[in-house]
Amino acid sequence: MPAEKRDDVVKILIVEDRPEDAEFDKREANKVLTCCEFRVVETREDFLHELETFQPDLVLSDYSMPTFDGLTALQLSLDHNPVTPVIIVTGSVNEETAVECMKAGASNYVIKEQMRRLGPAILHSLEEKKDKLARKQSEEALKESEERFRNYIELAPEGIFLTDSSGQFLMVNEAACRLTGYTPVELMEKNIRDLVFPEDLGTLHHNFNMVKETGQDSSEIPYRSHDGKRGVWIVKSVKLGDDRFLGFTHDITIQKNAEEALRKSEIRFRELFENAPMAYQSLDKDGNYIDMNQALCDMLGYEAQEMMGTSFGNYWDQKHRDQFPGNFNCLVTEGSIRAEVPLVSKGGEIITALLDGRTQTNNQGNFVRTHCILVDISSRKKNEAELLAAKEKAEESDRLKTAFLNNISHEVRTPLNALMGFSNLLKDSATTPADQDYYLRIINHSGERLVNVINDIISMAMLETGQEVVRESQFDLLDLMNEVFITFQARVVTFEICFNYRPGITREQSMIISDEYKIRQVLTNLIGNSLKFTTKGNVEFGCNLDDTTLTFFVKDSGIGIASEDKPHVFEKFWKSKPSGNRMYEGTGLGLAICKAYVTMLNGKVWMQSEPGSGSTFWFTIPYRQPEKQPIPGIPVTPADRSHPVRPKTILVADDEYDNFLLLEIILQKFNVGLIHVWNGMEAVEVCRNNQQIDFILMDLKMPVMDGMEATRLIKLMNPEIPIIAVTAYAMSGDETKALDGGCDWYLSKPLRKEVLLEKLRQMGLINDVLSYAPGGAHF
């Protein structure tokens, strides 16, 4: 297979007129670098072309060549990209030549008789390049930051100034000049005290002292402009050093004047809304409470001082709180609003209020405040909702019952029709043996379908009448899942479906206590459902184990479930709507039965699905194992005791369970133990923790870590362990890659039983004497 492009490839341009020397350069580079890409040139024209197109990370140049030389290559490379390191590689060099190369900008030089120095020189040069790039980026970032800061100061809408510890201006921006009415030259000649009326000097001194002591301060300071008018600034000050103070000013004169006007207006309206029988509130431009009457406090259960200054949106129901900004903006921009708003009282009660609001503006048409009346309509809305829910429930119940009866009629009559029709055809004297075989398969399928319909109806009836109970027993979960897997595998053998199984537990963990029938039924229903809605692609099931819980999954790549259907998938009598002209069989009870059974087993069931991308269903049950019982000993002859033979252990690394199951069947008559892992990383961990592994069958194409990398790591730990590479991608050159990568042998899929057994015999892992083999472990 072609190698995938990697981000860590180091591109090396070699300037050399002798091919054998170029090969030496490549060899030394490959010793110290994981992945390299090389280009070799020997003329100036080719060198310039590769500099432009290849964009090398490193240049290795011979010092002297017939038509080109290393110093010229060095200068051309530096002109193209100064940070690209150039190492001079020469047959011999004197001290003057070396100094000349280094002065010209070479990163290093290596004598060909000392080629072992080339690898460290390459690593050193690449590290220097990385440092140069980092410094360059830092310098560019600093320059950009300084430029942004300078632009911010000059173009900022707020007045910005810098003073010394006495208050003398050291720097001002254009906005500060506009605020004060002075020119930059005039302002730079003044002290900040010159911009304050005498009666306000105390406030200024207090602000200055707070900055000196705490390092920062934010205060309102009255100021005097160039024309003598009085205004108010918000001044945010920061101490930059013992004699430097930075200030940001924002003129709030208009706001302060408006607040004064509002204060006077407030007095006139106080008695009106305090004594109003309906809830009243007033909000500022940000939607925060300016005022309210007692009726509103009584409605929400808060005191006035608790609500004052807080946002009206804070009292909206959490589910609808994001709607508050839009509604408030509508009130501000349109001037009025009438809407139902969901509020939450202090005690947590949901209140639906009918809000009628108006905005107040000044003579210039600017917003001043809102005036809103609220009426509690919760009781009325509750009555309306209950009536609507009852109506919809009755209609839905009637629809579901009608659909269920129609569906049951169809699901029963369809297989009955096939049973009766094809049974009669069997009597026909003209029926051929091939026809009989075909008719019997149809009769068998129709019988199974009819039995499933009846079982679903009986199971649901027993659940609804409370007759269904949990019947716990001790059983082997791996055996159960193997049986389910084999049963469905036989059904999908002719379909375009890859049906796979991941046990997720070991044989030692598989003996559990639970209701075997219900677990089997849930798995059967979920897998059958996935196969029904998957015409081609993948269907997979299995389980995972933590300390106290078994989590099962069934995953498919079928048609998926629409968003509007997801809330209903576990409801009784509900069936997914057919896609196009396709009609799907079933009673609409399978998933409802699954949910009921899992609930009885103290578990939970859930799903995830996207239309067109398949579905995954999960369910959990408590994990309980029976108490360990002593295993009866097998008589051992004296010869056996004196010469015990440890069964050979084979590690199978393959992400497809079918492949492991095939190997387990082939080797079940031999005295070997099998350990299964799903990827290369798990194979490495098993070999690290288990010194009894005698042999490894390694699939080359696996997730997480492929077989080649796993083989390399395992051979580092244990060079003697035999590894056979197994792959379904038997491309030209794969065998050579596998053997060069450390594998001892190579097999292509599909595996031939005879070839595999013969190789195992050659390695002494099995012999011609068949014996009982204990069940393999599953990981």
Side-chain angles (χ1 to χ4, degrees):
M1 296 178 64
E4 297 181 354
K5 187 179 183 304
R6 296 175 52 174
D7 294 335
D8 59 348
V9 173
V10 178
K11 297 187 288 185
I12 300 178
L13 179 57
I14 300 175
V15 186
E16 179 60 70
D17 60 327
R18 299 180 61 186
E20 62 272 19
D21 288 349
E23 289 302 316
F24 281 136
D25 292 347
K26 293 180 183 179
R27 182 194 64 190
E28 295 301 321
N30 282 321
K31 286 181 180 179
V32 296
L33 298 175
T34 303
C35 188
C36 302
E37 183 178 352
F38 300 97
R39 299 287 173 84
V40 181
V41 299
E42 58 179 291
T43 67
R44 175 191 180 97
E45 291 74 17
D46 291 344
F47 180 70
L48 289 173
H49 175 74
E50 293 298 340
L51 283 179
E52 186 66 31
T53 59
F54 185 50
Q55 297 291 323
D57 299 304
L58 173 69
V59 176
L60 303 178
S61 176
D62 192 2
Y63 179 74
S64 177
M65 293 174 288
T67 62
F68 200 25
D69 65 85
L71 285 179
T72 303
L74 170 62
Q75 188 58 51
L76 292 173
S77 179
L78 292 175
D79 292 342
H80 179 266
N81 188 349
V83 300
T84 301
V86 178
I87 298 177
I88 301 299
V89 183
T90 182
S92 63
V93 65
N94 54 40
E95 184 176 346
E96 291 77 11
T97 305
V99 172
E100 181 185 12
C101 292
M102 299 305 290
K103 283 185 176 181
S107 177
N108 210 329
Y109 67 91
V110 176
I111 301 174
K112 293 182 179 179
E113 285 76 6
Q114 299 176 356
M115 286 300 286
R116 64 181 181 277
R117 291 188 57 249
L118 182 58
I122 289 174
L123 293 179
H124 179 74
S125 298
L126 291 176
E127 192 64 30
E128 281 189 339
K129 176 184 177 182
K130 187 186 299 183
D131 293 341
K132 288 180 181 178
L133 289 174
R135 286 197 300 273
K136 183 178 179 181
Q137 291 173 354
S138 299
E139 291 169 358
E140 292 176 351
L142 179 60
K143 182 178 179 181
E144 184 180 351
S145 176
E146 291 175 349
E147 185 67 23
R148 285 200 306 268
F149 179 73
R150 188 178 297 107
N151 290 336
Y152 171 74
I153 294 294
E154 292 298 327
L155 303 176
E158 294 182 327
I160 301 176
F161 56 82
L162 184 70
T163 74
D164 60 17
S165 58
S166 68
Q168 186 66 38
F169 286 115
L170 302 177
M171 184 274 294
V172 296
N173 70 345
E174 183 63 30
C177 296
R178 289 197 303 270
L179 287 175
T180 60
Y182 292 97
T183 66
V185 175
E186 292 173 331
L187 201 54
M188 289 293 291
E189 295 176 350
K190 294 187 176 294
N191 189 289
I192 193 170
R193 293 192 301 273
D194 299 330
L195 304 182
V196 178
F197 288 98
E199 61 269 26
D200 298 317
L201 283 174
T203 302
L204 177 64
H205 290 155
H206 175 75
N207 171 258
F208 226 101
N209 290 332
M210 288 296 295
V211 178
K212 291 178 180 179
E213 293 175 4
T214 66
Q216 59 182 4
D217 184 60
S218 179
S219 303
E220 292 184 8
I221 299 179
Y223 75 93
R224 177 175 58 183
S225 64
H226 185 269
D227 57 7
K229 292 183 178 180
R230 185 183 185 86
V232 181
W233 280 346
I234 285 285
V235 180
K236 297 180 179 179
S237 306
V238 179
K239 182 179 180 181
L240 300 181
D242 292 339
D243 59 348
R244 291 292 184 272
F245 299 86
L246 185 65
F248 299 83
T249 62
H250 179 65
D251 195 323
I252 59 170
T253 304
I254 296 176
Q255 177 183 334
K256 298 299 289 186
N257 292 338
E259 290 175 357
E260 179 62 20
L262 285 173
R263 187 188 67 81
K264 294 177 180 179
S265 176
E266 180 181 318
I267 298 174
R268 295 195 300 269
F269 290 99
R270 176 64 57 185
E271 290 185 0
L272 174 64
F273 72 81
E274 279 293 344
N275 298 310
M278 292 181 292
Y280 167 86
Q281 66 184 27
S282 182
L283 309 174
D284 64 14
K285 63 181 179 62
D286 297 318
N288 298 325
Y289 278 107
I290 298 173
D291 215 334
M292 67 207 70
N293 66 356
Q294 187 59 41
L296 180 69
C297 296
D298 295 340
M299 177 189 292
L300 297 179
Y302 292 91
E303 298 293 334
Q305 58 267 28
E306 294 181 88
M307 301 178 65
M308 196 66 68
T310 61
S311 171
F312 178 39
N314 293 350
Y315 304 92
W316 283 46
D317 177 26
Q318 185 68 41
K319 296 179 180 179
H320 304 86
R321 193 166 294 176
D322 58 345
Q323 300 176 11
F324 168 70
N327 280 269
F328 183 73
N329 184 64
C330 179
L331 171 59
V332 173
T333 56
E334 301 295 331
S336 64
I337 192 172
R338 183 178 177 85
E340 294 180 5
V341 296
L343 305 177
V344 183
S345 71
K346 188 174 183 178
E349 179 186 359
I350 304 297
I351 299 171
T352 302
L354 180 62
L355 180 145
D356 195 341
R358 300 288 186 275
T359 59
Q360 176 187 340
T361 58
N362 58 20
N363 294 334
Q364 290 75 39
N366 297 323
F367 176 90
V368 176
R369 63 164 63 194
T370 69
H371 300 281
C372 304
I373 300 296
L374 297 94
V375 179
D376 187 346
I377 59 171
S378 302
S379 298
R380 189 182 79 188
K381 296 296 293 183
K382 182 179 179 181
N383 293 336
E384 291 175 355
E386 290 175 351
L387 288 173
L388 180 61
K391 176 176 176 293
E392 291 177 348
K393 185 175 182 179
E395 291 175 348
E396 179 66 10
S397 176
D398 183 63
R399 185 190 68 79
L400 287 175
K401 288 179 180 178
T402 301
F404 174 68
L405 290 174
N406 291 337
N407 186 47
I408 289 299
S409 176
H410 172 268
E411 291 297 323
V412 171
R413 290 175 183 272
T414 299
L416 278 177
N417 181 65
L419 286 168
M420 297 172 66
F422 284 97
S423 296
N424 288 328
L425 288 176
L426 288 173
K427 304 175 184 178
D428 195 331
S429 58
T431 301
T432 66
D435 290 337
Q436 289 180 347
D437 182 64
Y438 176 63
Y439 297 161
L440 286 172
R441 288 202 304 270
I442 294 177
I443 291 171
N444 183 60
H445 173 74
S446 299
E448 288 181 357
R449 180 174 173 183
L450 185 59
V451 169
N452 289 336
V453 171
I454 295 172
N455 285 341
D456 282 350
I457 296 173
I458 293 174
S459 296
M460 185 54 65
M462 293 184 67
L463 285 166
E464 291 190 334
T465 57
Q467 298 181 58
E468 188 66 59
V469 296
V470 175
R471 296 175 176 85
E472 290 187 337
S473 63
Q474 176 180 319
F475 64 96
D476 192 308
L477 182 59
L478 272 180
D479 289 347
L480 183 151
M481 291 194 291
N482 284 335
E483 292 170 13
V484 172
F485 175 73
I486 293 171
T487 299
F488 279 102
Q489 189 182 43
R491 299 184 188 179
V492 302
V493 68
T494 58
F495 298 167
E496 297 182 56
I497 296 175
C498 177
F499 183 51
N500 200 16
Y501 162 41
R502 294 179 180 268
I505 58 174
T506 67
R507 181 64 68 178
E508 290 74 14
Q509 298 167 327
S510 64
M511 191 62 67
I512 67 170
I513 298 176
S514 189
D515 190 321
E516 180 179 4
Y517 169 79
K518 289 182 174 57
I519 294 175
R520 185 190 301 272
Q521 192 64 33
V522 173
L523 281 174
T524 299
N525 285 358
L526 293 178
I527 296 170
N529 215 48
S530 289
L531 291 172
K532 179 167 61 176
F533 293 102
T534 305
T535 56
K536 62 180 178 179
N538 302 301
V539 174
E540 182 180 61
F541 79 101
C543 71
N544 297 299
L545 173 64
D546 60 21
D547 292 337
T548 59
T549 305
L550 275 166
T551 302
F552 297 84
F553 67 89
V554 177
K555 181 178 182 180
D556 65 66
S557 60
I559 64 175
I561 301 172
S563 299
E564 62 271 17
D565 291 341
K566 290 179 182 178
H568 307 291
V569 294
F570 293 109
E571 294 178 2
K572 294 181 296 184
F573 310 136
W574 186 87
K575 289 182 65 176
S576 177
K577 298 178 180 63
S579 175
N581 298 322
R582 173 99 185 255
M583 296 293 291
Y584 294 98
E585 63 184 49
T587 61
L589 296 175
L591 292 179
I593 293 171
C594 289
K595 182 176 181 180
Y597 280 178
V598 171
T599 301
M600 293 179 71
L601 296 175
N602 295 319
K604 62 179 181 177
V605 60
W606 69 99
M607 55 78 67
Q608 180 180 347
S609 180
E610 292 296 332
S613 299
S615 306
T616 302
F617 284 80
W618 292 273
F619 72 92
T620 63
I621 63 168
Y623 177 64
R624 293 165 51 209
Q625 276 199 298
E627 294 184 3
K628 298 291 184 180
Q629 298 295 330
I631 301 175
I634 300 175
V636 181
T637 65
D640 291 331
R641 292 191 185 99
S642 59
H643 301 284
V645 178
R646 178 179 65 83
K648 300 296 185 180
T649 301
I650 298 177
L651 175 64
V652 180
D654 200 308
D655 63 327
E656 294 291 338
Y657 188 71
D658 287 2
N659 298 330
F660 170 72
L661 190 59
L662 174 61
L663 290 169
E664 190 174 40
I665 293 171
I666 292 174
L667 300 173
Q668 64 184 345
K669 297 180 180 179
F670 296 90
N671 187 28
V672 296
L674 296 182
I675 296 178
H676 179 217
V677 294
W678 297 97
N679 56 63
M681 184 175 292
E682 292 182 5
V684 174
E685 287 303 312
V686 169
C687 290
R688 180 179 289 115
N689 299 320
N690 189 342
Q691 302 301 317
Q692 302 299 320
I693 303 297
D694 298 293
F695 175 67
I696 300 175
L697 283 169
M698 181 73 73
D699 186 19
L700 296 184
K701 187 72 172 179
M702 293 183 292
V704 184
M705 180 187 290
D706 62 29
M708 293 298 295
E709 178 65 11
T711 297
R712 185 183 70 82
L713 295 176
I714 292 171
K715 285 290 187 177
L716 287 176
M717 294 187 294
N718 185 359
E720 302 303 322
I721 189 169
I723 300 177
I724 290 183
V726 182
T727 180
Y729 299 91
M731 305 294 289
S732 175
D734 279 0
E735 181 174 0
T736 302
K737 289 180 182 178
L739 297 177
D740 290 345
C743 295
D744 300 282
W745 210 43
Y746 174 88
L747 285 175
S748 62
K749 296 179 182 178
L751 291 176
R752 293 178 58 193
K753 175 181 176 181
E754 297 79 7
V755 175
L756 174 63
L757 293 180
E758 179 59 29
K759 189 61 183 177
L760 294 182
R761 288 189 182 97
Q762 292 173 8
M763 293 183 171
L765 295 171
I766 64 173
N767 51 48
D768 294 327
V769 180
L770 303 183
S771 60
Y772 172 78
H778 301 259
F779 286 78

